[in-house]
Amino acid sequence: FEVGRWTRVRCSDDATPAAEDVAREVAKKATEGSGISTVGGWVVAHRDVFLRYDFGAKSWRLVTVKSRERVLASASGFTTTAGLLLLTAIVLVFVLSHVQIRRSTVPLQQLRDASVRVAEGHLDERVMVRGDDEYTEVSEAFNGMTTALQQQVRLLHGMEAIDRSVLATRQVGRLVETALAQLGD
């Protein structure tokens, strides 16, 4: 619109008379250089275009009118898309967390099962965990512990055999022979 006379300079072909009336009303009432307002079922934006120095013409007030439904339709589409993206992100985080947690619990489960077998007397039990994390260090410590337990049990069995031979016989040659055989083992 041309400021002052409020005559229409240009209007798009699809503008309805009702939209043009709303645009003219907002153009007349606007006091600021630009702004956005809602009039009835319309969203109206306006901006002043100063033309006097460049073209020697009166200033224009550019007014854009859209129906509220049309404006909110794009926001609705954005809301739907944003909601789907958020839901996808939540599902992705859940799946990745589940995989990572599962990856962390498998070595713990292996260590627990091996501990139960060692407690049952299977001292040759070993746990193989690959990686560069604390689970690998714990499994190496566990394997070192079971190796040390095996050696201690063998030593105790050897000492028991020597004790039995001492108690069973009084012959020095037989005692020395048993002790040397057990010390060798």
Side-chain angles (χ1 to χ4, degrees), residues 122-170:
H122 304 284
L123 297 178
D124 56 342
E125 187 68 34
R126 299 293 182 268
V127 177
M128 302 309 284
V129 176
R130 292 183 179 91
D132 250 355
D133 55 6
E134 54 275 350
Y135 296 120
T136 305
E137 293 175 18
V138 170
S139 69
E140 289 171 357
F142 179 85
N143 292 338
M145 178 192 69
T146 55
T147 300
L149 280 173
Q150 270 184 317
Q151 291 172 350
Q152 289 293 325
V153 168
R154 270 193 246 130
L155 178 65
L156 288 173
H157 283 304
M159 291 175 71
E160 179 190 17
I162 292 172
D163 287 345
R164 266 191 266 134
S165 71
V166 165
L167 294 173
T169 182
R170 300 260 182 215

Side-chain angles (χ1 to χ4, degrees), residues 30 77 82 88-89 95 111 153 157 174-175 179 182:
T88 302
V95 168
L111 285 165
V153 168
H157 283 304
R174 179 104 168 132
L175 286 174
Q182 291 302 320

Side-chain angles (χ1 to χ4, degrees), residues 54-104:
D54 292 338
F55 300 106
K58 289 192 174 193
S59 296
W60 289 355
R61 184 160 288 154
L62 180 64
V63 180
T64 304
V65 179
K66 295 283 183 191
S67 69
R68 185 176 171 90
E69 294 82 27
R70 190 168 173 191
V71 171
L72 293 179
S74 62
S76 174
F78 172 77
T79 304
T80 303
T81 302
L84 289 174
L85 285 174
L86 181 64
L87 179 65
T88 302
I90 289 171
V91 168
L92 183 63
V93 165
F94 176 75
V95 168
L96 291 176
S97 297
H98 181 73
V99 167
Q100 186 61 30
I101 290 170
R102 189 73 186 137
R103 187 177 295 157
S104 295

Side-chain angles (χ1 to χ4, degrees), residues 31-62:
T31 57
E32 301 174 355
S34 64
I36 298 176
S37 58
T38 304
V39 177
W42 304 94
V43 176
V44 184
H46 70 277
R47 179 169 188 83
D48 288 343
V49 180
F50 188 71
L51 302 173
R52 183 167 307 249
Y53 292 127
D54 292 338
F55 300 106
K58 289 192 174 193
S59 296
W60 289 355
R61 184 160 288 154
L62 180 64

